[in-house]
Amino acid sequence: MRTLAFTTVVAVAATIAVPAAAQSLTSPSWYGSVGYSNLSSDDTDVSLDALTGRVGARFSPYFGAEGELSVGLGDETLVPGVDVQLNHDAAVYGVASYPIAQNIEVFGRLGYGTTEMEASGLGTTATEHSDSWNYGVGANYLFDGVNGVRADYTRRDYQDDNGEADVWTVSYVRRF
């Protein structure tokens, strides 16, 4: 019963969203952001910092897509003698946003990504790639309609039982 209800809701949403997105596909509005991210795993006490850049396109006032790339800003000790670092994290998202005031909007996003981490110490180095389903929420505040700030939270659910992680990001945003 729940599957039927969920399928019906998705079908209705797609029926409404696809014509709205298709109408403005010829002229999406673009934005970019650059900021600081912190990734912390549920399985360890490691907290890694990253520089995160995003590029996105809005196909309607409410729907868009974005890609992001993060690179690590250092390493942290996992256990004595073993350091771990984030090499890179990349993902693509579908984004749904809603304005709640003149210069403030909230958004939700759902996507898929890949993370590469490296552990080194005790005379050896190991690199691990993990794919993940990502979902999160956030808000944008635009100072002048073009420049602003963004804060968001994203949950990464790594595949193949590789755990989960929380990512908090604060960014400068520029709309083009």
Side-chain angles (χ1 to χ4, degrees):
M1 182 70 171
R2 277 193 223 161
T3 303
L4 178 60
F6 178 74
T7 304
T8 303
V9 169
V10 170
V12 170
T15 303
I16 295 168
V18 169
Q23 182 179 8
S24 62
L25 277 178
T26 58
S27 61
S29 61
W30 293 90
Y31 63 90
S33 70
V34 63
Y36 163 81
S37 294
N38 179 270
L39 183 142
S40 59
S41 171
D42 289 353
D43 300 328
T44 65
D45 289 333
V46 173
S47 180
L48 300 171
D49 299 326
L51 176 65
T52 300
R54 294 184 177 114
V55 174
R58 305 227 7 211
F59 304 112
S60 79
Y62 305 106
F63 299 103
E66 68 183 24
E68 76 178 18
L69 176 64
S70 299
V71 292
L73 294 176
D75 58 13
E76 187 167 318
T77 301
L78 179 61
V79 294
V82 178
D83 292 332
V84 65
Q85 70 179 23
L86 173 68
N87 287 341
H88 71 268
D89 183 80
V92 293
Y93 295 92
V95 181
S97 58
Y98 187 78
I100 59 172
Q102 183 176 357
N103 293 337
I104 302 172
E105 69 181 4
V106 294
F107 60 86
R109 61 192 202 139
L110 175 65
Y112 195 78
T114 183
T115 302
E116 180 182 282
M117 299 184 72
E118 182 177 294
S120 59
L122 307 174
T124 187
T125 300
T127 303
E128 181 174 337
H129 297 269
S130 297
D131 294 336
S132 61
W133 286 104
N134 307 334
Y135 51 92
V137 296
N140 290 320
Y141 174 75
L142 297 175
F143 305 120
D144 57 9
V146 177
N147 299 294
V149 293
R150 169 181 171 149
D152 61 79
Y153 162 79
T154 304
R155 181 76 168 173
R156 297 205 183 331
D157 184 3
Y158 293 107
Q159 303 301 294
D160 300 324
D161 295 325
N162 282 336
E164 297 177 329
D166 297 318
V167 181
W168 296 91
T169 305
V170 177
S171 305
Y172 162 76
V173 177
R174 170 82 178 176
R175 291 195 175 161
F176 304 100

